[in-house]
Structures are given as structure tokens and as C-alpha cells.
Amino acid sequence: MAKIEALSEAEVTRAVEKLAGWSVREGKLHAEFKFDDFVAAFAFMTKVALTAQCEGHHPEWSNVYNQVRIDLVTHDAGDAISAKDVTLAGKINELRSAA
């Protein structure tokens, strides 16, 4: 299995500029989403879970009532942000837009 490369700081900065609602917090891609209620938040999480499984890349996340917090980092890249994180963040944004 090929080692996954971490993105450089400049690459992460460029990626975040293109990812609406995402920032870097504690070395991870971070976003917070708010929904009308718990059911809507959980439905979104279910869609993200299925997408993440297909991507073979899983988020660190939490849910409190209508809020979902997501952190993305690649453990196989030394707990750094990789292209896998950027790709999943983009897909998460697409799911949020469709919600």
C-alpha cells in the first residue's frame, strides 16, 4: 500500500480557500453545520457516513441536537491533512447543499 502524502501548508491554504465553511483547526480540516432539527442533522450524517465508507476515509465528528461538527485528518499521512481530506470535505459540502 502506497504511503499517503500530507499536503503542504500552501496546498492546504489553497484548498481551504475553495471549501466554503471549512477552516483548519488544530491541524485538521474543520467545519460545523447547523440544521433545523436532530432528524435533519442525523440524516445528513447518514449520507456523510455512506460517502465516507465509499471513499474509504472516515471523519472525526460529533452531533449535538441540530449541530454536526466534522474534523478531517489522514492518520496514514502522519495525522496531517491530505488530498483525501480535501476530497471528502468537497463531497460533504455537496451533500450539505443538497440537504
Side-chain angles (χ1 to χ4, degrees):
M1 179 187 210
K3 182 178 183 320
I4 297 170
E5 295 295 325
L7 296 178
S8 70
E9 190 173 326
E11 290 170 319
V12 171
T13 298
R14 282 192 300 275
V16 169
E17 288 172 355
K18 296 176 184 174
L19 289 169
W22 291 83
S23 62
V24 176
R25 185 180 291 178
E26 297 178 13
K28 302 174 184 181
L29 283 183
H30 175 83
E32 298 183 12
F33 301 92
K34 191 171 184 176
F35 298 86
D36 290 338
D37 55 28
F38 174 75
V39 173
F42 197 85
F44 172 73
M45 290 180 74
T46 301
K47 291 174 189 174
V48 171
L50 294 171
T51 299
Q53 185 64 25
C54 288
E55 292 293 315
H57 193 55
H58 305 95
E60 298 175 6
W61 58 1
S62 66
N63 164 241
V64 177
Y65 182 59
N66 68 337
Q67 296 182 12
V68 177
R69 292 177 186 88
I70 301 177
D71 290 308
L72 299 174
V73 67
T74 303
H75 302 293
D76 292 339
D79 292 330
I81 297 169
S82 76
K84 290 182 82 161
D85 302 302
V86 174
T87 298
L88 185 54
K91 291 184 179 203
I92 290 169
N93 277 1
E94 290 173 11
L95 292 170
R96 179 60 177 122
S97 294

